[in-house]
Amino acid sequence: MRIPARRQPGEGMTRIEAQSWSPQPRIQPGIPALVEKIIRAANREHPADGVMRAELKAQHGLSRDDGARVSKAVFAYFRWRDWLDESKQIRQRIEHALELAERYALKPESFTDEDIIARAVPGWLPTVMAVTGAWVRALQREPSLWLRARLGRGGVLAEKLGDCSVFGAGPLADALEYRGLSDLFRTSEFHAGEFEVQDLSSQAVGLICAPRPGETWWDACAGEGGKLLHLSDLMENRGLIWASDRVAWRLARLKQRAARAGVFNYRAVAWDGGPRLPTKTKFDGVLVDAPCSGIGTWHRNPHARWTATAEDVKELSDVQQRILSHAAGAVKPGGKLVYAACTLSDLETTVVVQGFEQRCPQFERLAVSNPLVPGLPPSGVLSLWPQESGGNGMFVAAWVRTTG
């Protein structure tokens, strides 16, 4: 099985040719067996990305480039799974998946919309959302690696790291797409807290929240703290942010990340999403980045397409509505409530919004602008699509509390 090396553009190539250039690599003999082992072990209870992280960590002497080849092969297999002949040996299927990925990078028009929609996503998906050719085509591309520089430092960081392009102007000048080959987690800039690896759409959520220095915010489903670190940066490390999650190890990871980033204006506390809130504090703003089906991340995590179900979407919609309603009680009059989810299904987006507004009439829809597509009129709800910006699919809605 030939596993392509990480692509490195040659002289005289167009950008798309450069991205698809694949010299014959020198790889460790055990790599094809490792790819096969990860694919066989991946299932609903053991997602491929988690299995792969554990297996790569257990390897001794595996180079970073070979680790990248393993990742590329595993994700290509699940991205192109329904094009593969199940009667073939698994290594032949992996090879075919890599060939399909290379063909798609060079000639995406050789795949029809009908074929892409029929094979690249599960059959139940059209029952919960509108599925378009443009979106599914975006799922079949390899994802971009996005960085968030410290406030106002995007241009400086891009020069220091190299191989970076700045996404936009203003606040988006701190959003960088990295195309280099360096291990960013080993750089002095990373250890100095000069940047975070954060998806572009997640950065957009922080900009939509727009917290101000000195305010008090609550990141109700903080996880490992990616959005909290952004909120703190926008607040210039002033004011206070409460961070809660139902899983203790995520908050422990947040503590490590915050220390490296020099973020100290936060307080972490466990919360299970129930009616008993972790504090009696009334906040200037509450962010509910709720647990979701993750449909918006399927280009980055293709294995999840084949483990999620329509039943998951329904159950998570109920969870999201409960968490949002409970967290809303902590918003003070005049304060802001932001709901975000990296999903695009109707049940987890518009249905959640409609249900919340029926239950909580004291909140008024707040029109917000899409920071990734300047010039569009403000809207009460935003759907961020990967084919438009290159980030994850993301849904955002915002309200202001009008009464006590």
Side-chain angles (χ1 to χ4, degrees):
M1 177 176 66
R2 180 180 66 85
I3 300 180
R6 293 197 67 177
R7 292 166 181 164
Q8 190 170 9
E11 294 182 2
M13 293 184 179
T14 66
R15 178 179 173 185
I16 192 166
E17 288 171 337
Q19 289 176 340
S20 302
W21 180 67
S22 183
Q24 291 294 327
R26 296 180 61 189
I27 62 174
Q28 292 191 7
I31 283 186
L34 180 58
V35 173
E36 181 178 342
K37 181 180 180 182
I38 293 168
I39 290 171
R40 290 189 184 279
N43 54 41
R44 181 178 169 88
E45 289 72 34
H46 302 94
D49 57 345
V51 173
M52 184 166 59
R53 280 195 301 269
E55 289 293 340
L56 291 177
K57 186 176 181 180
Q59 299 299 311
H60 298 288
L62 188 70
S63 72
R64 180 178 178 274
D65 283 348
D66 282 343
R69 293 174 188 127
V70 170
S71 174
K72 180 181 181 66
V74 169
F75 286 141
Y77 179 88
F78 290 111
R79 191 171 282 122
W80 298 97
R81 191 195 74 164
D82 275 15
W83 277 261
L84 309 180
D85 185 349
E86 289 295 319
S87 68
K88 302 288 187 180
Q89 294 290 328
I90 187 169
R91 294 197 187 183
Q92 292 176 294
R93 301 200 301 271
I94 296 168
E95 178 68 29
H96 188 200
L98 289 165
E99 291 170 355
L100 288 166
E102 188 164 0
R103 173 185 153 197
Y104 187 74
L106 284 170
K107 295 183 177 180
E109 70 279 2
S110 65
F111 297 82
T112 67
D113 281 4
E114 292 76 14
D115 195 33
I116 288 278
I117 292 173
R119 297 192 188 193
V121 294
W124 57 263
L125 192 63
T127 68
V128 300
M129 64 175 287
V131 178
T132 66
W135 174 61
V136 182
R137 283 185 177 278
L139 297 186
Q140 296 306 94
R141 293 195 295 267
E142 292 189 18
S144 298
L145 178 59
W146 296 101
L147 312 180
R148 179 181 59 79
R150 296 298 296 268
L151 192 63
R153 301 287 293 173
V156 173
L157 180 67
E159 287 189 12
K160 292 171 72 173
L161 293 179
D163 300 307
C164 284
S165 59
V166 176
F167 179 79
L172 288 172
D174 295 323
L176 310 178
E177 183 181 4
Y178 181 72
R179 299 193 183 95
L181 303 177
S182 300
D183 185 347
L184 292 174
F185 296 108
R186 294 178 179 268
T187 62
S188 59
E189 291 81 9
F190 177 77
H191 289 285
E194 293 184 32
F195 70 90
E196 298 292 328
V197 177
Q198 186 179 30
D199 182 76
L200 183 65
S201 295
S202 293
Q203 296 184 48
V205 172
L207 297 177
I208 290 168
C209 289
R212 292 177 292 188
E215 289 186 335
T216 303
W217 275 72
W218 178 24
D219 188 351
C221 305
E224 298 181 30
K227 294 184 178 65
L228 179 142
L229 299 182
H230 192 193
L231 296 181
S232 177
D233 203 28
L234 294 170
M235 295 167 66
E236 300 174 5
N237 220 351
R238 294 156 51 195
L240 179 64
I241 308 172
W242 281 73
S244 62
D245 199 89
R246 61 184 179 85
V247 181
W249 69 261
R250 291 177 184 152
L251 295 177
R253 174 66 177 142
L254 162 60
K255 183 178 180 180
Q256 295 174 346
R257 295 182 69 186
R260 179 185 53 77
V263 168
F264 305 108
N265 66 327
Y266 81 98
R267 182 176 300 167
V269 62
W271 182 54
D272 62 2
R276 184 173 181 179
L277 301 184
T279 174
K280 295 182 179 180
T281 301
K282 297 299 181 183
F283 294 94
D284 296 294
V286 173
L287 169 61
V288 178
D289 182 17
C292 71
S293 62
I295 291 172
T297 68
W298 279 2
H299 67 309
R300 197 172 300 281
N301 184 16
H303 179 237
R305 308 177 195 182
W306 314 116
T307 58
T309 67
E311 290 72 26
D312 293 335
V313 172
K314 173 61 172 66
E315 291 175 6
L316 286 163
S317 177
D318 295 339
V319 170
Q320 292 151 3
Q321 296 199 53
R322 288 198 301 271
I323 292 176
L324 185 60
S325 295
H326 295 154
V331 181
K332 69 181 185 182
K336 187 186 299 183
L337 175 65
V338 179
Y339 170 71
C342 53
T343 187
L344 300 163
S345 73
D346 296 337
L347 284 173
E348 298 175 276
T349 57
T350 55
V351 171
V352 170
V353 168
Q354 292 165 1
F356 172 74
E357 291 177 342
Q358 291 173 0
R359 293 187 303 274
C360 301
Q362 67 271 37
F363 284 83
E364 179 180 301
R365 189 88 64 88
L366 183 63
V368 293
S369 298
N370 183 345
L372 304 184
V373 188
L376 292 180
S379 173
V381 295
L382 294 176
S383 292
L384 310 180
W385 295 87
Q387 68 268 29
E388 295 175 352
S389 65
N392 288 340
M394 183 77 70
F395 176 84
V396 187
W399 299 269
V400 61
R401 183 165 193 159
T402 57
T403 61

